[in-house]
Amino acid sequence: MLLVKLGGSVLTDKARLRTPRKAAIARLTKELAGLGDDVVVVHGAGSFGHVLARRYRLNGPASRVKAKGAAVVQRDVRALDALVVDGLLKAGLAPVVLPPSAVLGLDDGRVASFDLGPFKDYLRHGFTPVTFGDVVRDRTRGVAVCSGDVLMLELAKAFHPRCVVFAADVDGLFTADPKRVKGARLLLSVSKADLPLVEFTPAKGPDVTGGIEAKVHRMLEIAAHADETIIVNGNVKNRVRDALRGRIVIGTRVVGGP
Amino acid sequence: MLLVKLGGSVLTDKARLRTPRKAAIARLTKELAGLGDDVVVVHGAGSFGHVLARRYRLNGPASRVKAKGAAVVQRDVRALDALVVDGLLKAGLAPVVLPPSAVLGLDDGRVASFDLGPFKDYLRHGFTPVTFGDVVRDRTRGVAVCSGDVLMLELAKAFHPRCVVFAADVDGLFTADPKRVKGARLLLSVSKADLPLVEFTPAKGPDVTGGIEAKVHRMLEIAAHADETIIVNGNVKNRVRDALRGRIVIGTRVVGGP
């Protein structure tokens, strides 16, 4: 099985509320067809989720007002998801949407329940399950943000994928933020031991899922449950496709384990 | 708790593929706000579901081709659902979509599993759960159609609602099809014993959920799990609202039990 995360920074203009990058969505969904293996697709929320989730403080403590803000963000994220689904349909796949708000429950931000049944059943019948970063029910906080990366970890644990690909808006993990630090070097591979080499800067944008450092820690955890895990540039044509086919591509190989 | 079914014949032009009746959607969703009680909304698929579900034979035996047809119908039904959700948001509610494809499984057309957890959790946090007629996984047939009425029955069993309202495109149940038979009389109430009074004609349109006779049998079953069950005309302003408020309205009261 192949597991792919289409980052919100590739699918959307992350700085502008609800702005899809339609050409990237069309190209990337096409790259997921004809791989000859089961695929599960996870995508980020980008500017359809983070901007308002932050404004409405959806990761904060329980309150009656949170429901309305959450409902707006859920609606917005589904609008982005509908574009991804349209792309997958056009590419000839049979996408089935399994929103985390319906199949997953949190408790104080941690996964408390996750129903894998629909993922297994639809895969068996020839579908491509699609899920995404979303606002979901939380026993303690009422609702909270469930990132696409949290879903990647749960799915990797359950399916032990042959290959996990993260499509980012840069070539992989760098020694520092390549958009801000001149001379930042691409790491060809990263393990836990390499983390001191990386200068993590706190996220400036409206990210509500913890920034790059939290992301990398989660990727290391995910890599422990997969044969192969790699971060590639989703803005470069066919890089996601080639990575999923097991070809050698520019990117950062993530090496799990202690 | 209040349980309402917005019929596909009210929300859409049932004869024309993917044609919403936008004014009806805006008005009906507004009628669901400010009721002072928890509401669960179920809606039909109308021409966003039935036309292609029939063409692709999605209720037939398992086949590899079914997945693609099912994916198209699921996408279409979600487009209608998005309009309902937008209406509910504008009305000031906090809708949360719980698609049956994610929370329900069939076996040869019968409900094999249904996760009520998300319905209960979101109601507790101030949300209005929304679900709808859809194509869902089926152990025997791969996928099959799950009608909004099947969901109504499952939800009535689970929540024992104070009031169940079916919004139809006519005033209620008649002694014969009022659109075709002159002199058809509206029944003010219907129980199992009254069924011989009704002349059921086989559905002419593209309905894939069994026509009026099957619907009425299911409504009788639903009524056994609710204090009050009524079929009203969703095309008449405020009739759904008044019925949900417990006022006396024109319609057919459904009396459950043997």
Side-chain angles (χ1 to χ4, degrees), chain A residues 68 75 86 92 101 121 137, chain B residues 68 75 86 92 121 137:
Chain A
K68 282 188 196 177
R75 188 265 317 262
D86 272 340
S101 46
D121 289 349
R137 61 200 156 113
Chain B
K68 283 189 194 174
R75 187 264 319 261
D86 274 340
D121 290 349
R137 60 200 158 114

Side-chain angles (χ1 to χ4, degrees), chain B residues 39-189:
Chain B
V39 184
V40 175
V41 181
V42 178
H43 65 81
S47 58
F48 288 72
H50 293 272
V51 182
L52 293 185
R54 190 187 180 93
R55 189 178 302 163
Y56 298 148
R57 298 168 197 267
L58 297 183
N59 252 342
S63 85
R64 203 72 184 174
V65 242
K66 275 177 88 179
K68 283 189 194 174
V72 170
V73 172
Q74 287 181 339
R75 187 264 319 261
D76 289 352
V77 171
R78 272 150 196 74
L80 174 62
D81 182 64
L83 299 177
V84 174
V85 165
D86 274 340
L88 293 169
L89 279 170
K90 274 185 199 136
L93 291 165
V96 60
V97 182
L98 299 170
S101 45
V103 295
L104 188 143
L106 296 173
D107 189 0
D108 206 14
R110 281 154 200 268
V111 176
S113 65
F114 185 34
D115 187 5
L116 286 161
F119 288 88
K120 291 178 181 165
D121 290 349
Y122 286 109
L123 278 171
R124 190 163 43 239
H125 296 309
F127 286 85
T128 300
V130 178
T131 188
F132 47 82
D134 198 6
V135 185
V136 312
R137 60 200 158 114
D138 184 297
R139 269 184 217 157
T140 310
R141 304 186 202 163
V143 292
V145 170
C146 173
S147 72
D149 293 335
V150 165
L151 292 160
M152 290 292 283
L153 176 57
E154 294 301 317
L155 291 164
K157 277 185 196 167
F159 289 103
H160 197 97
R162 183 159 64 76
C163 181
V164 176
V165 171
F166 286 89
D169 65 342
V170 288
D171 278 345
L173 182 65
F174 287 74
T175 50
D177 183 346
K179 290 176 187 166
R180 282 186 270 174
V181 181
K182 230 182 145 168
R185 270 188 318 105
L186 177 68
L187 295 169
L188 295 184
S189 85

Side-chain angles (χ1 to χ4, degrees), chain A residues 52 80 163 200 229:
Chain A
L52 293 184
L80 174 62
C163 180
F200 291 107
T229 299

